[in-house]
Amino acid sequence: MSLKSFLGIALVVFVMIGCAGQKEQVIRIDTRHGEIVAVLFDDTPVHKSNFLDLAESGRFDSTEFHRVIPDFMVQGGDVFSKEEMPAEEWPTLPAEILPHHFHKKGMIAAARQGNNINPERRSSGSQFYIVLGEEYTELELTTDMPKLQAAFMQYVQLQSQDSLRMLYNQLYEQEEFDSLTQVILSKRDEIEQSLNMKLTKDMSAEQIQAYTTVGGTPHLDGEYTVFGEVISGIDVAEKIAQEPRASRDRPVNPVYMTVKVESMSRSQIEREFGYVYQNEK
């Protein structure tokens, strides 16, 4: 073996060992339902640094999961309300929205105000949510449903579609809305061809794989910054989501949290939690 080849192999081994031994910050969120463990992404550095600062200073402690919706998400970390800071002084963070960090189940994302007053999609300086969501079929994922629904109503007015219109009216009157949705979806390609319009939307192979097997909330993609992922305790988040709720989806019995940060090597994280690090793009 030549010296050049030997050095090349040595460099690869050195890099692999270095990555495996690289220290990461593991987030531990403790609640009365159990513990949620998460990691934060290096390619969303503003959100990662902000979360670590709040956690390490203890400012998350005694905040609540104050908004919980089954099969959707649990939201918490309202530090500034706890500290009685005037709302006009609440800090926000610049958006770090990346296409390869999407809303599959277990992802952690930053809450924010709506586009009408926040067109830059800046994130809350403290509030975050854990994605739960549900599983989808590939047909559901790749269909522009609002556009298809409008096109369907146009399509069923055609004289040739009398039987389809009758079926639609029957299902609607019987309030069988799930069946009605499936009928509309089944006609997508037919309507697309008949009306010469695009009714599909683009989804990556990774998104399709995740949303059809693990689940999530795909309609939030591209709108909120996803900056971390639960690696243990997603069942705890699901238990929190099942809490009886009062107005604004707030749990009747408060679910408080304490948040700690622990340094751990990537190899230890992979060994203890089965989490496999992907190359961040």
Side-chain angles (χ1 to χ4, degrees):
M1 179 185 295
S2 68
L3 177 61
K4 182 177 181 181
S5 298
F6 174 79
L7 291 175
I9 293 173
L11 178 61
V12 171
V13 172
F14 176 78
V15 170
M16 291 175 63
I17 293 174
C19 290
Q22 179 179 337
K23 288 292 184 180
E24 295 287 343
Q25 291 82 24
V26 172
I27 308 301
R28 295 184 178 273
I29 304 172
D30 188 54
T31 76
R32 59 182 169 83
H33 285 292
E35 183 182 61
I36 300 168
V37 184
V39 293
L40 306 180
F41 301 140
D42 291 336
D43 55 1
T44 52
V46 175
H47 286 71
K48 179 176 182 176
S49 176
N50 179 72
F51 192 100
L52 291 174
D53 287 345
L54 292 171
E56 291 173 335
S57 62
R59 295 175 71 187
F60 276 129
D61 295 349
S62 77
T63 60
E64 302 175 42
F65 280 102
H66 62 269
R67 183 173 178 238
V68 304
I69 303 175
D71 300 322
F72 183 41
M73 60 92 212
V74 294
Q75 178 176 332
D78 188 0
V79 169
F80 309 130
S81 288
K82 182 195 78 168
E83 296 175 348
E84 299 183 346
M85 182 185 298
E88 62 271 15
E89 297 179 12
W90 292 4
T92 61
L93 307 177
E96 295 179 296
I97 299 172
L98 302 172
H100 58 282
H101 292 324
F102 50 87
H103 285 76
K104 73 176 180 180
K105 185 176 182 178
M107 288 296 187
I108 299 175
R112 69 175 180 87
Q113 293 183 308
N115 290 346
N116 58 325
I117 58 174
N118 180 28
E120 295 180 349
R121 295 175 292 181
R122 293 182 66 88
S123 300
S124 164
S126 71
Q127 294 187 43
F128 64 93
Y129 60 91
I130 299 172
V131 177
L132 298 176
E134 54 189 26
E135 293 179 19
Y136 293 80
T137 67
E138 185 170 345
L139 182 61
E140 290 172 324
L141 282 174
T142 58
T143 299
D144 186 331
M145 281 304 296
K147 195 171 180 180
L148 173 60
Q149 288 168 341
F152 182 87
M153 297 310 297
Q154 179 183 348
Y155 185 64
V156 295
Q157 301 309 314
L158 298 176
Q159 187 174 358
S160 60
Q161 299 303 318
D162 287 347
S163 60
L164 180 59
R165 184 168 60 254
M166 290 175 62
L167 175 60
Y168 173 87
N169 290 334
Q170 177 185 345
L171 292 174
Y172 186 85
E173 290 173 0
Q174 295 173 350
E175 298 185 357
E176 296 184 17
F177 299 123
D178 289 342
S179 297
L180 187 55
T181 298
Q182 293 308 311
V183 168
I184 294 173
L185 281 167
S186 71
K187 295 295 181 179
R188 185 193 72 182
D189 295 345
E190 183 179 317
I191 296 172
E192 196 171 47
Q193 183 176 1
S194 176
L195 301 183
N196 191 28
M197 61 193 309
K198 182 181 179 182
L199 299 173
T200 58
K201 58 184 179 182
D202 297 328
M203 302 283 286
S204 70
E206 290 82 4
Q207 286 174 297
I208 293 173
Q209 170 67 17
Y211 289 134
T212 58
T213 58
V214 178
T217 56
H219 67 280
L220 299 181
D221 289 347
E223 294 294 324
Y224 297 80
T225 296
V226 176
F227 65 95
E229 183 171 6
V230 171
I231 60 176
S232 177
I234 193 63
D235 59 314
V236 173
E238 290 176 323
K239 291 176 184 176
I240 294 171
Q242 296 298 325
E243 284 278 341
R245 293 171 288 161
S247 62
R248 297 186 178 182
D249 298 306
R250 194 179 196 96
V252 173
N253 300 310
V255 181
Y256 294 106
M257 69 177 80
T258 58
V259 183
K260 305 300 179 188
V261 180
E262 177 183 354
S263 291
M264 192 177 293
S265 69
R266 286 193 171 188
S267 59
Q268 186 178 356
I269 293 170
E270 292 177 343
R271 184 169 61 252
E272 289 193 18
F273 300 102
Y275 180 75
V276 179
Y277 280 89
Q278 304 293 329
N279 292 326
E280 295 181 349
K281 302 177 183 179

